[in-house]
Amino acid sequence: MRSRSRPAPDPSPWLFIAPAATYLLLFFGYPVVKNLVMSFQQYTIRTFYTGAAPFVGLRNYSTILSSDLFSKALLNTVLFTAASICGQFVIGLALALFFQRSFPLGRVLRSLLLLPWLLPLVASGTTWRWMLDTDSGVVNDVLRHLHLLPSGVPWLTGTSQALVSVTLINIWVGIPFNTTILYGGLQNIPTQLYEAAKLDGAGPVATFRHVTWPLLRPVVSVVLVLGAVYTVKVLDIILLVTGGGPANATETIATQSYELSFQQFEFGRGAAMSNVLVVLSLVFAVGYLRANRRATSV
Amino acid sequence: MKRAPNRGWPSTIVGIVLLALMLFPVYWMVNASLQPAGNLLRGDWFPFHPDFSGYRTALRDQGGNLVTSLVVALGSVVLSLSLAAPAAYALARFPLRGSNLVLLGILITQMVPSIVVANALYSAYNDLGLLNSYLGLILADSTAGVPFAIIVMRSFMRSIPREIIEAARVDGAGRLRVLTAVVLPMSANALITAALFTFLFAWSDFLFALTLTTTQTVRPVTVGIYQYIGASTDHWNAVMATAVLASAPAAVLLVLAQRHVAAGAAGGSVK
Amino acid sequence: MTSPARPLARRISARLGTGIVTLVLVATGCGGPTGAGSATGKVTSITALDYYTDEPEHTQWAESLTACGKSVGVTVQQTSMPGPSLIPKVLQQASSRTLPDLLMLDNPDLQQIAQTGALTPLDQYGIDSSGFAEGIRSASTYQGKLYGLAPDVNTIALFYNKDMLAEAGVAVPGTWQELKAAAAELTRPGRYGMAVDANATFEGTWQFLPFLWSNGGDEKQLDTPQAAQALQLWVDLVKSGSMSTSVLNWNQADVSDQFVAGRTAMMINGPWRIPALNQATTLHWGVATIPVPQAGQTPVTPLGGEVWTVPQSASKARQQKAAHVLACLNDSTSMIALAEQHFTVPSRSAAAAQYAEQDPSMAAFVTSVEAARARTSELGVGWPRAATGIYTAIQSALTGEQTPEEALKHAQQIATSP
């Protein structure tokens, strides 16, 4: 179209993309392929000394899939992801609706809310771990002072409580992200629609049901799917707060993969385990692409 | 922004209460860091007598690690932006046939768990001698920054009016010149947002720091804290002081660049 | 290069190799003050890695290393890594060839690390390794070769707060029944009667062994009634509220912190915590042997102690220097000095006898260490798997996920899995 005004020596447009594309291939493409290959090999402690990692077919997969920890880790991953998403979304939406009103300091408060999401997980995880200590943690201190639970809750030492605790921490981390995106979605809803609903005599609940929710739907599906994709691979929080314990109560597919590779140096099994994680992510990825398509077509 | 100050203040109070609940752990971290040394089994609710010995210990033990983190994070910003800016420009402005495929690829990178990357990079780095090196960490940490920066900058560059670019082209500027002289200066906001988040991603990275370093030569502060927890049970104030120091960049950037942070949070995620 | 089929020739050439290195060293050493040391390979500093991150032990080791370094003409750069993360780190370092010149290992880990090929046998350095107590010698030997030496050894015992026992009118417990009763009696709001380390690491296993072994349990067969009874004792202590559920997360230093802070009246811990306990001036503590199932039995405790090893490295000269420092740490004088600092027992029998004579208060430890059992004595490189099984069982049982019997059955599966 513009060929007439084009100056002579001009780098091909692909040269602009090539460096980034090469980087992405090296640091995402290669690991995915390498991981697939490694999952069919047997790595031991000696491998890095001798360099011998024989191919063993599907044995790594059969070992990890048949281990009694696998089903527990899978269940934990699903529970952790589902509960995190629900919690983050519901609270995030409530806060987004709240901040949609205009009030003094509203903007400042809204941006300060982002802090939990921006802090290094190591810093917040360490703090939480200490706050949730059964005997000397501040959370149980408060519960005791309010005479709610004199004995305190074994947040990190009870097998059922520990998973709840790490989930709550992950919700805490994820709320700001959800609030921000949903708030952005809310801002895009034309004000006239609210005014029209008001004229029709609709209350706040009816307005939410008939105006806000339908128009927010595309953003909602993107938030949910993206949240799931990010949550399923969460590793740092669990590693920092419970280390997968007590009694493996907070082991997930991601922590298992880390332990196999970097604690036991069974890189083959670790790779197989992380491929399970990739498959889980892919399931959500398909959902994401679908949701994205729906969002752009609306 | 519309204002309704009359019915506003009660909302402000509710907002402050909600925020106080959300930020309580941050307060608790700061409070703990100001308690005197010794085991913190009996900490106070308020730092009535702030004691800065925790910070002294933290700076002595972890000062070098903080510098390491800073070097790695700045390195990652430079690398990510110099890779992402041209790519974002090309994806935003050139009618390329394969560009949708590239975008799809970038979206797919978001699904790849970091543990997969760490698994494969460990043995590759081992062969290449990149374990325990700044370069190795910068390259690995940029896996979060590069896709993010491309997405943020591309969506911004799409909104630059076509006329401006065409005018520069008519004046005889090549593609590279248009990028450096016209597009980048106009995209300053997007660049700042991308830089800010790339910095925070690399600064907060834990998994790569944990798996791709084996000695103390190159040790980011995140791993420093992690090993601190297990090591010094009688210096909890120093552990928490290190956590505060590690959190400081996030807090400072949030206050200084509120607008960019909010833009990044929204922009990088949806598209 | 010599072929492996001619071991004698290889040994000779290895000797020649070290001989030449020594010659070079001597030559450069005598070569005047021209400071061209690094170019000709003269070793002026070596690195050492230990797992004593807590004070005062960290500094004590630093001083010993510096002193021994000085005596052989090198400076020693010491780094420390928390115990539980040491082994993964060492394996990582072995694979990336970044091992230190001198490495401290907990004695039950030595065989596993030696198996990877990351360590060098000590016989090539001409170190005097005679007169060591049998337990620690066997723990330091893999496939007939000695890979490490421990200057001092130790074991664990029951520490108690004298004031709390006196105030509650409780005698120092000697049997399991007495332990349960005393722990219950000593529990108050904000304070527990008893504390152990039951975390999901080898430390948790280590603290459980005296209970397992004294009751006739054995790591070769974990699903036995004897083992279940021992585990039931810990479960009872937690269930009755005499012991915090946080024991699931505590390491031994945390347990000692709880004890110092007055949050527990009794604890299981090792003598290396004594310096820290002595720093707490208001604390009056005592130490006794670990309670046994029935009165009159002798407790069987695990043998503790850290062995120093010389890892593989590219530089023979550095290895040789490291070996000299190792030999210095393990001579009778410095082992007695170390033992005095750490309240542990010298590992050469003659030195131990001399030490017991010097310091009669340590005589009890000297005798109990003699009877102590090395963790790898039965299973060798299979020990880590059994140890993993044991701490997994402890965690499952204390959280109430499984009964002790079920948990130990599972532990046995872990111990014997490929």
Side-chain angles (χ1 to χ4, degrees):
Chain A
M1 314 187 300
R2 293 166 297 166
S3 53
R4 222 169 291 168
S5 62
R6 180 194 231 162
D10 217 5
S12 149
W14 283 107
L15 278 182
F16 287 80
I17 299 181
T22 314
Y23 174 83
L24 293 179
L25 282 177
L26 280 178
F27 284 83
F28 286 104
Y30 166 76
V32 169
V33 175
K34 171 79 178 169
N35 230 49
L36 199 61
V37 177
M38 280 167 88
S39 71
F40 299 115
Q41 285 176 289
Q42 188 186 17
Y43 278 76
T44 64
I45 295 167
R46 302 186 62 131
T47 299
F48 290 99
Y49 248 83
T50 58
F55 281 89
V56 289
L58 289 168
R59 202 162 76 198
N60 288 331
Y61 288 96
S62 65
T63 315
I64 60 158
L65 293 181
S66 65
S67 89
D68 48 354
L69 256 182
F70 180 77
S71 52
K72 189 178 207 173
L74 187 63
L75 181 67
N76 282 348
T77 309
V78 171
L79 287 177
F80 176 75
T81 308
S84 293
I85 299 301
C86 290
Q88 288 170 6
F89 177 75
V90 171
I91 301 176
L93 181 61
L95 285 175
L97 288 169
F98 172 76
F99 279 110
Q100 214 199 355
R101 323 175 179 193
S102 58
F103 54 86
L105 296 178
R107 248 179 70 171
V108 177
L109 292 181
R110 189 161 49 82
S111 52
L112 281 178
L113 187 70
L114 279 166
L115 199 56
W117 184 57
L118 295 178
L119 292 186
L121 279 178
V122 175
S124 44
T126 308
T127 312
W128 274 107
R129 179 172 144 162
W130 180 55
M131 284 170 60
L132 292 177
D133 187 273
T134 309
D135 299 317
S136 51
V138 66
V139 176
N140 275 350
D141 249 20
V142 172
L143 291 179
R144 271 188 218 114
H145 274 100
L146 297 176
H147 297 286
L148 287 175
L149 282 164
S151 60
V153 180
W155 293 107
L156 302 178
T157 52
T159 41
S160 38
Q161 290 89 344
L163 190 63
V164 175
S165 301
V166 288
T167 310
L168 286 175
I169 298 171
N170 192 47
I171 290 175
W172 177 78
V173 172
I175 287 173
F177 178 76
N178 279 260
T179 305
T180 308
I181 295 175
L182 291 170
Y183 177 83
L186 288 174
Q187 292 300 96
N188 285 338
I189 298 173
T191 2
Q192 302 93 289
L193 291 180
Y194 288 115
E195 278 154 19
K198 211 173 194 177
L199 284 179
D200 288 350
V205 177
T207 311
F208 181 79
R209 262 188 65 187
H210 299 295
V211 180
T212 317
W213 185 250
L215 286 167
L216 201 60
R217 272 287 290 281
V219 180
V220 167
S221 47
V222 170
V223 166
L224 289 182
V225 178
L226 208 60
V229 168
Y230 287 140
T231 311
V232 83
K233 56 184 185 181
V234 161
L235 172 58
D236 347 28
I237 295 180
I238 297 178
L239 222 50
L240 283 160
V241 177
T242 63
N248 300 324
T250 50
E251 289 286 357
T252 63
I253 302 287
T255 60
Q256 274 291 294
S257 173
Y258 168 77
E259 271 160 33
L260 285 168
S261 289
F262 291 99
Q263 302 279 304
Q264 300 173 24
F265 279 65
E266 296 264 12
F267 273 89
R269 290 186 196 173
M273 190 63 93
S274 64
N275 284 337
V276 174
L277 200 57
V278 172
V279 171
L280 275 180
S281 295
L282 270 179
V283 171
F284 288 118
V286 172
Y288 174 72
L289 290 176
R290 281 191 155 173
N292 207 25
R293 200 181 310 145
R294 214 180 315 153
T296 42
S297 64
V298 165
Chain B
M1 277 241 145
K2 308 164 293 172
R3 277 173 197 277
N6 290 337
R7 52 155 236 187
W9 285 105
S11 294
T12 306
I13 291 165
V14 175
I16 289 175
V17 171
L18 287 176
L19 196 75
L21 275 175
M22 277 295 285
L23 296 190
F24 180 77
V26 182
Y27 166 72
W28 202 243
M29 175 168 73
V30 176
N31 175 41
S33 72
L34 293 170
Q35 303 285 343
N39 59 51
L40 275 186
L41 297 175
R42 289 164 293 201
D44 280 325
W45 271 78
F46 303 99
F48 286 122
H49 308 285
D51 181 324
F52 290 90
S53 66
Y55 285 87
R56 263 197 302 281
T57 318
L59 283 174
R60 189 194 67 211
D61 293 349
Q62 303 279 345
N65 299 340
L66 284 163
V67 175
T68 302
S69 281
L70 191 67
V71 172
V72 170
L74 289 176
S76 175
V77 169
V78 172
L79 178 74
S80 301
L81 292 194
S82 47
L83 287 175
Y89 172 55
L91 289 172
R93 308 301 318 189
F94 303 154
L96 291 170
R97 197 177 296 159
S99 64
N100 273 332
L101 206 67
V102 176
L103 275 178
L104 183 70
I106 292 171
L107 285 180
I108 287 177
T109 61
Q110 300 301 298
M111 326 295 167
V112 178
S114 330
I115 185 71
V116 167
V117 180
N119 251 337
L121 283 189
Y122 181 77
S123 58
Y125 272 23
N126 198 18
D127 296 338
L128 297 169
L130 281 175
L131 289 177
N132 301 311
S133 72
Y134 287 100
L135 180 64
L137 271 187
I138 290 171
L139 282 167
D141 284 356
S142 301
T143 51
V146 171
F148 177 87
I150 294 180
I151 292 167
V152 166
M153 288 198 273
R154 173 181 167 269
S155 64
F156 186 89
M157 288 172 181
R158 274 162 75 99
S159 66
I160 296 175
R162 163 182 289 231
E163 297 76 37
I164 297 178
I165 293 174
E166 302 221 319
R169 304 271 296 167
V170 169
D171 289 346
R175 285 187 175 122
L176 198 60
R177 176 113 188 89
V178 172
L179 173 65
T180 54
V182 182
V183 175
L184 285 185
M186 285 189 70
S187 316
N189 274 334
L191 275 172
I192 294 173
T193 305
L196 203 140
F197 274 83
T198 313
F199 181 89
L200 286 180
F201 289 152
W203 177 269
S204 324
D205 162 67
F206 175 61
L207 189 64
F208 290 127
L210 187 67
T211 51
L212 301 179
T213 65
T214 61
T215 61
Q216 308 217 311
T217 43
V218 178
R219 166 169 305 172
V221 72
T222 44
V223 176
I225 297 179
Y226 184 57
Q227 286 172 349
Y228 225 27
I229 306 174
S232 32
T233 36
D234 45 351
H235 285 110
W236 263 102
N237 61 343
V239 177
M240 298 319 273
T242 318
V244 172
L245 292 174
S247 305
V252 169
L253 291 176
L254 182 61
V255 173
L256 291 185
Q258 246 180 58
R259 210 157 39 91
H260 296 290
V261 172
S269 51
V270 180
K271 274 266 40 182
Chain C
M1 286 261 68
T2 51
S3 84
R6 297 192 329 227
L8 183 67
R10 192 169 67 173
R11 215 173 302 152
I12 291 171
S13 75
R15 286 267 164 78
L16 271 176
T18 29
I20 289 167
V21 170
T22 324
L23 271 177
V24 171
L25 284 178
V26 170
T28 50
C30 299
T34 40
S38 59
T40 48
K42 182 169 163 39
V43 179
T44 54
S45 96
I46 60 168
T47 56
L49 175 64
D50 63 39
Y51 54 88
Y52 278 95
T53 46
D54 282 305
E55 292 298 353
E57 298 94 318
H58 176 81
T59 313
Q60 289 170 348
W61 275 113
E63 284 162 1
S64 303
L65 285 166
T66 309
C68 275
K70 199 175 270 174
S71 76
V72 301
V74 288
T75 54
V76 183
Q77 291 169 315
Q78 177 207 26
T79 48
S80 303
M81 190 81 70
S85 50
L86 183 79
I87 290 307
K89 215 64 185 176
V90 164
L91 294 175
Q92 223 173 336
Q93 291 184 341
S95 65
S96 61
R97 322 261 155 145
T98 47
L99 281 167
D101 298 308
L102 202 55
L103 171 67
M104 176 195 274
L105 288 173
D106 198 9
N107 72 73
D109 297 329
L110 179 129
Q111 300 189 358
Q112 189 201 3
I113 303 297
Q115 190 195 21
T116 68
L119 303 179
T120 58
L122 295 181
D123 54 1
Q124 56 183 302
Y125 304 114
I127 295 172
D128 169 28
S129 58
S130 61
F132 278 81
E134 191 41 46
I136 194 66
R137 232 194 116 81
S138 79
S140 314
T141 306
Y142 174 69
Q143 292 191 342
K145 285 197 167 162
L146 190 70
Y147 282 89
L149 284 176
D152 52 332
V153 288
N154 58 60
T155 188
I156 40 180
L158 179 77
F159 287 76
Y160 56 90
N161 185 313
K162 283 182 176 168
D163 296 341
M164 289 179 188
L165 262 69
E167 178 247 348
V170 173
V172 179
T175 65
W176 287 6
Q177 277 312 320
E178 291 168 14
L179 175 66
K180 277 201 264 188
E185 197 73 28
L186 288 163
T187 303
R188 301 267 184 285
R191 179 179 106 191
Y192 290 97
M194 176 71 177
V196 296
D197 167 352
N199 71 15
T201 70
F202 292 162
E203 261 187 25
T205 307
W206 147 263
Q207 288 229 336
F208 181 66
L209 286 176
F211 297 91
L212 176 76
W213 285 343
S214 299
N215 200 38
D218 195 284
E219 63 268 29
K220 275 195 290 202
Q221 195 64 42
L222 289 168
D223 47 350
T224 59
Q226 289 89 338
Q229 286 156 9
L231 191 48
Q232 187 67 49
L233 173 70
W234 279 25
V235 172
D236 289 346
L237 285 168
V238 169
K239 271 212 183 125
S240 64
S242 309
M243 203 152 81
S244 168
T245 54
S246 296
V247 297
L248 289 161
N249 290 339
W250 287 340
N251 59 30
Q252 297 193 100
D254 292 328
V255 170
S256 154
D257 276 352
Q258 297 285 328
F259 185 73
V260 171
R263 293 217 169 214
T264 181
M266 299 184 287
M267 68 164 177
I268 302 290
N269 227 316
W272 59 89
R273 294 307 300 178
I274 291 177
L277 298 185
N278 283 341
Q279 279 175 3
T281 42
T282 54
L283 178 73
H284 303 109
W285 56 274
V287 60
T289 52
I290 291 180
V292 287
Q294 305 292 333
Q297 291 173 318
T298 342
V300 186
T301 55
L303 178 75
E306 35 284 325
V307 290
W308 285 98
T309 61
V310 180
Q312 294 280 5
S313 76
S315 159
K316 280 265 172 245
R318 292 177 78 98
Q319 287 181 8
Q320 190 65 48
K321 278 289 177 198
H324 283 152
V325 175
L326 185 149
C328 164
L329 288 171
N330 280 286
D331 70 26
S332 296
T333 345
S334 66
M335 76 171 42
I336 290 177
L338 280 165
E340 276 168 354
Q341 283 177 336
H342 300 162
F343 292 86
T344 51
V345 178
S347 51
R348 287 187 209 255
S349 308
Q354 186 192 336
Y355 177 67
E357 224 164 82
Q358 276 176 17
D359 187 356
S361 73
M362 289 302 292
F365 277 106
V366 173
T367 42
S368 73
V369 157
E370 262 164 30
R373 191 162 137 185
R375 279 158 280 178
T376 41
S377 62
E378 284 191 350
L379 295 177
V381 291
W383 164 250
R385 213 165 278 138
T388 306
I390 292 174
Y391 73 65
T392 310
I394 295 172
Q395 292 251 315
S396 305
L398 294 196
T399 51
E401 284 283 284
Q402 290 178 313
T403 65
E405 288 80 10
E406 290 164 354
L408 287 160
K409 207 167 167 190
H410 185 214
Q412 181 62 21
Q413 282 167 10
I414 295 175
T416 51
S417 70

